[in-house]
């Protein structure tokens, strides 16, 4: 509720969502304060960060201004982190009271609440990445199928690339520390991640030609 109607002037993702509906990826003509654009293919200006938050905004475009929708997606993602985090802890045997406290602390005891509600692009990317990482943790804790774990982590990476570094830990959680079992799950895990990696590669090629 804190972000309802709230806009942001750092609306890279909102602008990218609109650009996609127009059949391109560049953000030419952006105001000067959007100074984190880079020149790429065709001499156009492109956002330098992964595109998942913009893709989440796409179906919402008929319902409001893109800059407002960006903050809405950011705040909703941040607020939803608590649920999969709690469920992940329960799957790992954490008692209910401790799981509840930890899940609430993850939102209100860290910078997540304030940044997610703010909604500027780097905060929105972090909030969306945190949500999908929490979902991946739940999947790993519940020993879900490796392909599903890979897909959920792949989505998280498409919001924040360094989240890929969580892969070894998640695989070990999913196999309860059994290194050999973790290695056996790698093909399915990689298959789940593949579409998201391919999308990021295609996005890089479209922007930078490499």
């Amino acid at each position: 509720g804190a972000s309802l109607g709230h806009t942001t002037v750092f609306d890279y993702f909102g602008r990218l969502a609109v650009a996609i509906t127009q059949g391109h990826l560049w953000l030419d003509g952006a105001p000067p304060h959007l100074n984190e654009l880079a020149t790429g293919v065709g001499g156009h200006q492109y956002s330098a960060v992964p595109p998942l938050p913009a893709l989440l905004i796409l179906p919402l475009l008929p319902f409001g201004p893109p800059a407002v929708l960006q903050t809405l997606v950011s705040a909703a993602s941040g607020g939803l982190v608590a649920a999969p985090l709690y469920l992940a802890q329960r799957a790992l045997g954490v008692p209910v009271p401790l799981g509840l406290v930890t899940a609430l602390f993850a939102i209100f005891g860290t910078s997540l609440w304030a940044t997610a509600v703010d909604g500027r692009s780097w905060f929105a990317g972090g909030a969306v990445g945190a949500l999908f990482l929490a979902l991946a943790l739940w999947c790993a804790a519940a020993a879900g199928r490796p392909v599903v774990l890979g897909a959920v982590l792949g989505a998280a990476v498409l919001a924040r690339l360094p989240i890929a570094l969580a892969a070894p830990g998640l695989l070990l959680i999913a196999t309860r520390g059994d290194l050999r079992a973790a290695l056996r799950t790698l093909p399915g895990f990689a298959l789940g991640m593949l579409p998201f990696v391919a999308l990021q590669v295609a996005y890089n090629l479209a922007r930078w030609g490499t």
Side-chain angles (χ1 to χ4, degrees):
S3 67
L4 287 179
H6 173 65
T7 188
T8 175
V9 297
F10 298 104
D11 55 339
Y12 295 91
F13 291 126
R15 290 173 181 270
L16 177 57
V18 172
I20 292 172
T21 65
Q22 296 172 347
H24 59 81
L25 298 173
W26 60 77
L27 303 183
D28 295 356
H33 66 269
L34 297 183
N35 58 6
E36 294 187 4
L37 301 176
T39 303
V41 170
H44 296 296
Q45 296 292 297
Y46 296 90
S47 172
V49 295
L52 181 62
L55 300 180
L56 297 179
I57 293 169
L58 271 174
L60 303 176
L61 284 176
F63 304 106
V68 173
L69 296 173
Q70 179 177 300
T71 61
L72 179 63
V73 166
S74 177
S77 298
L80 289 171
V81 164
L85 181 58
Y86 171 76
L87 293 170
Q89 292 179 90
R90 292 296 296 140
L92 292 171
V94 174
V96 170
L98 180 57
L100 286 172
V101 169
T102 304
L104 290 173
F105 183 83
I107 296 178
F108 299 110
T110 70
S111 62
L112 180 59
W113 184 83
T115 56
V117 168
D118 180 283
R120 66 189 69 192
S121 286
W122 41 97
F123 293 160
V128 171
L131 172 60
F132 281 93
L133 180 58
L135 288 168
L137 177 61
W138 178 26
C139 183
R145 295 178 62 188
V147 67
V148 176
L149 175 58
V152 179
L153 185 63
V157 171
L158 207 57
R160 273 285 188 262
L161 294 178
I163 291 177
L165 296 172
L170 290 170
L171 286 171
L172 287 172
I173 290 172
T175 56
R176 300 302 187 264
D178 186 332
L179 182 57
R180 290 184 178 180
L183 291 174
R184 287 195 298 270
T185 65
L186 274 177
F189 177 80
L191 182 63
M193 285 200 72
L194 182 60
F196 299 92
V197 173
L199 182 57
Q200 180 63 37
V201 169
Y203 188 46
N204 285 348
L205 285 170
R207 292 178 298 167
W208 321 124
T210 180

